[in-house]
Amino acid sequence: MSTTFSPRIAIIGGGPAGLVLVNVLARNNIAATLYERDAEFSSRAHLGGTLDLHPETGQAAMKGAGVWETFQKNSRPEGEETKMLDKDGKVYYHHVPPPGNTGSSRPEIDRSMLRKILLDAAPAGSVKFGHAFVSATPVTGTAQWELVFENGHKTVVDLVIGADGAHSRVRPLVSDVRIRYTGLTGVEVSMSPDVGVAHPELLARIGSGSAYVLDGTKFIAAQINGDGRVRLYAWFHSDDPDVVPSDPAAAVPFILSQYEGWAPWMRQLIELADLQAVYRRPLYMLPVGHSWTHRAGVTLVGDAMNLMTPFAGQGANIAVWAALQLALKIIGVRESGGGLQEMDAAVAAYEQEVGKRAKEEAFITELNLNRILNCEGAQGMAEALRLDAERTQAVIV
């Protein structure tokens, strides 16, 4: 085993994928520095709903990152409950996890809680907030990169990893492919936890986890978060991704106008939105099977690599699993006594292997997106959920 393998690794982006990566590497005595543009963790701690981490991907990443026990303590197995309804409230699908189900369950956890768990586990000084990535320039005669940040910080690294999401600034270093608008736009809104106390009937309609309501090309997803907060996503078809007014006071009535004739309790979820927590959310994606010609010293992970829509519950799972796979490749180089050249070959292999798996999941996600755009509604999506266990048998051409 090589004792001198100490590559300089920079991870751009402090989402779950980047944080899993820095933790897995650290647990195996390989240092990496994660640079996050936000000034502090709390800058976006209020954003994002719940995630269901799957055993073979998301949960495997939690174990690799050394946070499995903490994850279990903070996750909600009951949050796995799922309903699929039409706009009148007719239930086409209802999954309730059995009590005490742990082995093959997909327990829910708030995205902000997941990030906090991973951040708390990271080595002191390995995560640097307030570092917005600006550029990376190849160092002449080497495979190294000089990184420049908005705050003036500069550094030279052997490997830069773009974990900086849908609008990645690292992606253009390896790929000229741009994200494309899916045709669905809308909002993310949340309500304060006391809404559930004042309106327990609304929580009963949703259940302990998530309720998905579809009609034509319109879609509502309501989730119960760990703190009791109800978070709602409302999407509908529009040729203009920014059609929703930017002013929350105008956005709420505009969104309501899109859901005329829907069950009163569904509209009430929108009416009760906290005007301090209304965010426009047009949906974008990368082409299924997004790949690139390997470039020495740089790679991608998570949404920067394979941005997909949320209609298969795979985006976050594949993101953190990919981070785990990349870390294992780097660790394998050290364990085999390799150096920087071998690390670059391992990264190229990671791109091929993870790209294949991500393509399979993105394909299923696109199928479900098309079900919505083709107006199959709740019944069509309910059938897709019933076939979920067979999705790995899909043939990707």
Side-chain angles (χ1 to χ4, degrees), residues 51-383:
L51 304 172
D52 62 324
L53 297 192
H54 304 180
E56 71 280 8
T57 50
Q59 292 180 32
M62 296 303 102
K63 294 172 183 177
V67 298
W68 176 240
E69 290 186 1
T70 308
F71 166 78
Q72 287 183 301
K73 291 177 183 177
N74 290 276
S75 64
R76 301 172 52 248
E78 71 277 9
E80 189 183 343
E81 182 178 0
T82 305
K83 295 180 180 180
M84 189 70 64
L85 311 91
D86 65 18
K87 69 174 184 177
D88 298 318
K90 180 179 178 180
V91 178
Y92 284 88
Y93 176 91
H94 189 189
H95 167 70
V96 180
N101 181 24
T102 56
S104 61
S105 69
R106 301 174 177 181
E108 298 277 343
I109 189 168
D110 291 2
R111 181 184 178 89
S112 58
M113 175 57 71
L114 180 64
R115 286 187 68 219
K116 185 177 187 305
I117 289 170
L118 291 165
L119 181 61
D120 289 347
S126 64
V127 179
K128 298 187 181 299
F129 285 95
H131 282 68
F133 173 74
V134 174
S135 65
T137 305
V139 178
T140 304
T142 74
Q144 298 171 346
W145 293 83
E146 181 183 55
L147 309 184
V148 177
F149 296 86
E150 204 171 81
N151 62 5
H153 177 71
K154 295 181 180 180
T155 188
V156 174
V157 300
D158 301 302
L159 177 62
V160 54
I161 302 167
D164 49 342
H167 302 280
S168 172
R169 294 186 176 185
V170 178
R171 188 191 302 122
L173 297 177
V174 295
S175 172
D176 59 3
V177 174
R178 297 187 177 186
I179 58 176
R180 69 172 177 84
Y181 175 52
T182 63
L184 291 178
T185 192
V187 293
E188 169 190 344
V189 304
S190 68
M191 288 140 270
S192 62
D194 58 6
V195 167
V197 176
H199 301 278
E201 72 283 358
L202 291 179
L203 269 63
R205 296 275 194 179
I206 298 168
S208 299
S210 301
Y212 302 99
V213 189
L214 293 94
D215 181 75
T217 58
K218 296 180 180 180
F219 179 93
I220 285 179
Q223 299 179 326
I224 303 296
N225 285 193
D227 60 357
R229 184 185 303 271
V230 177
R231 192 176 300 273
L232 183 90
Y233 297 87
W235 287 302
F236 54 90
H237 178 266
S238 174
D239 292 332
D240 179 3
D242 299 317
V243 68
V244 178
S246 57
D247 179 5
V252 169
F254 177 83
I255 292 296
L256 276 171
S257 72
Q258 302 297 316
Y259 296 91
E260 293 288 348
W262 285 48
W265 68 269
M266 298 173 189
R267 291 173 54 80
Q268 189 177 16
L269 290 171
I270 301 171
E271 292 168 344
L272 291 172
D274 179 355
L275 292 183
Q276 302 301 311
V278 178
Y279 310 96
R280 294 196 292 185
R281 289 288 182 264
L283 290 180
Y284 292 87
M285 64 182 292
L286 281 164
V288 172
H290 173 240
S291 62
W292 58 90
T293 301
H294 175 70
R295 188 174 187 184
V298 58
T299 194
L300 306 173
V301 70
D303 285 351
M305 180 183 191
N306 295 106
L307 176 67
M308 58 187 80
T309 63
F311 300 122
Q314 289 290 348
N317 280 282
I318 292 299
V320 295
W321 175 80
L324 172 64
Q325 302 312 304
L326 177 55
L328 292 177
K329 287 290 188 185
I330 297 171
I331 293 163
V333 172
R334 186 202 59 188
E335 293 180 343
S336 64
L340 295 180
Q341 191 171 4
E342 288 75 19
M343 181 178 74
D344 191 59
V347 170
Y350 147 81
E351 291 168 355
Q352 293 296 315
E353 295 168 14
V354 169
K356 181 180 178 181
R357 174 66 184 273
K359 179 180 179 180
E360 295 172 354
E361 301 300 349
F363 177 76
I364 300 302
T365 295
E366 188 171 51
L367 285 179
N368 288 344
L369 170 64
N370 289 334
R371 285 180 179 273
I372 294 174
L373 293 176
N374 292 328
C375 304
E376 292 190 28
Q379 189 168 2
M381 284 300 292
E383 181 62 21

